């Protein structure tokens, strides 16, 4: 890649009724999409609103839509997404736009609460000394879900969220799944109930977009399938 090439960048400006604004940004080796946005904000237009914190794939705050695809921008290299020296950057889909590249994440995290995404300790004396070891494929997969950084990429990629704004979505359901499989947690049945309704895991159409897009290689789709099995077991036991 030539060092002195220029990138033509279209960036979403304004709220839901905004429009794209064109910028020209110098290309650099190993440049990330977040580097491009930061250059625009620092060198071309200080009024550009965007969010980031860690720059190393830990905080989940830098997610945006890049050429129509939701991505974590601090770990997305321009070389990977650029087409004919052009790139289009917008806010995450399926969330209200506050301004420019900043979305309102409240409904995303409110849904974690609706899915009972808080750990409920059992407080038993035995629990304090109990060492937990993965004992099944299902359990290992649920443990992987703990690595979620709450970036919202999966939520933005999910068509069911777009059709049904009440749907809890892949991240909240992934969180519920990690807790349902956590033997130290004492609210398993409440959690299964919380994800069993119309807005819960039965609305998932198993399209896998969430799993394909998750930057942490988590599979919310597999977790949702696991929750469906847990619901079925609870129905058979007469708990639901
Ligand atoms: S698998 Fe389910 S949660 Fe994931 S994107 Fe598809 S419909 Fe949404
Ligand atoms: S499951 Fe993956 S894509 Fe979804 S919020 Fe967590 S880290 Fe982001
Ligand atoms: S800035 Fe923290 S994950 Fe990208």
């Amino acid at each position: 890649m030539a060092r002195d090439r220029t990138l033509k960048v279209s960036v979403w400006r304004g709220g839901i009724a905004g429009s794209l604004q064109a910028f020209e940004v110098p290309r650099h080796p190993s440049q990330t999409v977040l580097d491009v946005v930061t250059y625009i904000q620092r060198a071309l237009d200080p009024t550009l609103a965007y969010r980031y914190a860690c720059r190393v794939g830990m905080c989940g705050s830098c997610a945006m839509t890049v050429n129509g695809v939701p991505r974590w921008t601090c770990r997305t290299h321009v070389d990977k997404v650029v087409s004919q020296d052009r790139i289009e950057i917008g806010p995450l889909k399926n969330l209200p736009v506050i301004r420019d590249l900043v979305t309102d994440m409240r409904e995303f995290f409110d849904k974690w609460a609706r899915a009972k995404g808080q750990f409920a300790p059992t407080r038993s004396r035995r629990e304090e000394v109990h060492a937990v070891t993965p004992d099944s494929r299902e359990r290992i997969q649920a443990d992987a879900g703990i690595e979620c950084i709450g970036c919202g990429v999966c939520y933005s990629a999910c068509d069911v969220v777009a059709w049904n704004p009440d749907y809890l979505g892949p991240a909240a359901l992934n969180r519920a799944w990690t807790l349902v499989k956590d033997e130290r947690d004492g609210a398993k049945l409440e959690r299964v109930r919380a994800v069993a309704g119309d807005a819960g895991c039965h609305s998932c159409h198993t399209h896998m977009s969430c799993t394909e897009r998750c930057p942490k290689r988590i599979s919310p789709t597999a977790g949702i399938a696991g929750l469906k099995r847990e619901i079925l077991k609870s129905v058979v036991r007469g708990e639901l």
Side-chain angles (χ1 to χ4, degrees):
M1 198 257 315
R3 186 176 281 271
D4 50 358
R5 268 174 40 196
T6 299
L7 192 63
K8 294 183 176 20
V9 191
S10 301
V11 181
W12 188 260
R13 302 305 306 271
I16 189 72
S19 58
L20 291 167
Q21 183 178 358
F23 295 95
E24 294 204 346
V25 174
R27 293 281 301 271
H28 300 290
S30 303
Q31 188 176 25
T32 66
V33 173
L34 184 61
D35 291 337
V36 170
V37 175
T38 301
Y39 177 88
I40 293 171
Q41 198 265 348
R42 292 192 181 160
L44 304 178
D45 186 345
T47 66
L48 177 65
Y50 70 114
R51 234 189 236 128
Y52 77 95
C54 72
R55 302 187 79 133
V56 290
M58 297 290 289
C59 71
S61 65
C62 67
M64 301 170 203
T65 302
V66 183
N67 292 345
V69 174
R71 295 181 180 277
W72 56 353
T73 57
C74 71
R75 301 292 294 269
T76 300
H77 284 100
V78 169
D79 289 345
K80 189 176 160 192
V81 293
V82 71
S83 170
Q84 298 180 323
D85 290 328
R86 289 177 186 279
I87 190 171
E88 187 178 303
I89 307 171
L92 284 179
K93 294 176 194 160
N94 296 342
L95 287 161
V97 181
I98 296 174
R99 184 161 70 89
D100 302 341
L101 302 172
V102 177
T103 49
D104 186 341
M105 301 295 285
R106 270 180 297 188
E107 72 180 43
F108 175 75
F109 288 112
D110 284 352
K111 286 179 178 180
W112 287 43
R114 273 173 51 201
K116 302 258 181 259
Q118 310 89 337
F119 178 62
T122 53
R123 293 194 206 153
S124 77
R125 199 182 297 164
R126 195 171 69 85
E127 281 295 319
E128 287 172 25
V129 294
H130 186 57
V132 179
T133 48
D135 55 1
S136 68
R137 209 172 123 228
E138 200 176 55
R139 175 60 200 277
I140 290 166
Q141 184 261 324
D143 279 357
I146 294 167
E147 299 300 320
C148 174
I149 54 173
C151 64
V153 163
C154 56
Y155 191 85
S156 177
C158 177
D159 283 343
V160 176
V161 174
W163 303 328
N164 174 9
D166 210 29
Y167 176 46
L168 291 170
L173 292 171
N174 169 71
R175 175 65 182 159
W177 173 237
T178 62
L179 291 171
V180 162
K181 295 306 291 180
D182 189 331
E183 58 210 69
R184 299 163 302 177
D185 184 82
K188 179 170 167 169
L189 184 56
E190 291 93 311
R191 203 163 282 115
V192 169
R193 285 197 179 113
V195 302
D198 285 346
C201 52
H202 289 300
S203 291
C204 171
H205 290 191
T206 325
H207 288 158
M208 303 276 293
S209 317
C210 54
T211 299
E212 284 162 17
R213 294 262 58 92
C214 174
K216 298 294 285 182
R217 299 181 192 274
I218 294 165
S219 175
T221 318
I224 292 166
L227 286 173
K228 288 177 180 173
R229 290 193 295 275
E230 293 295 328
I231 291 167
L232 190 60
K233 283 187 216 165
S234 289
V235 168
V236 169
R237 287 196 291 260
E239 295 166 342
L240 292 181

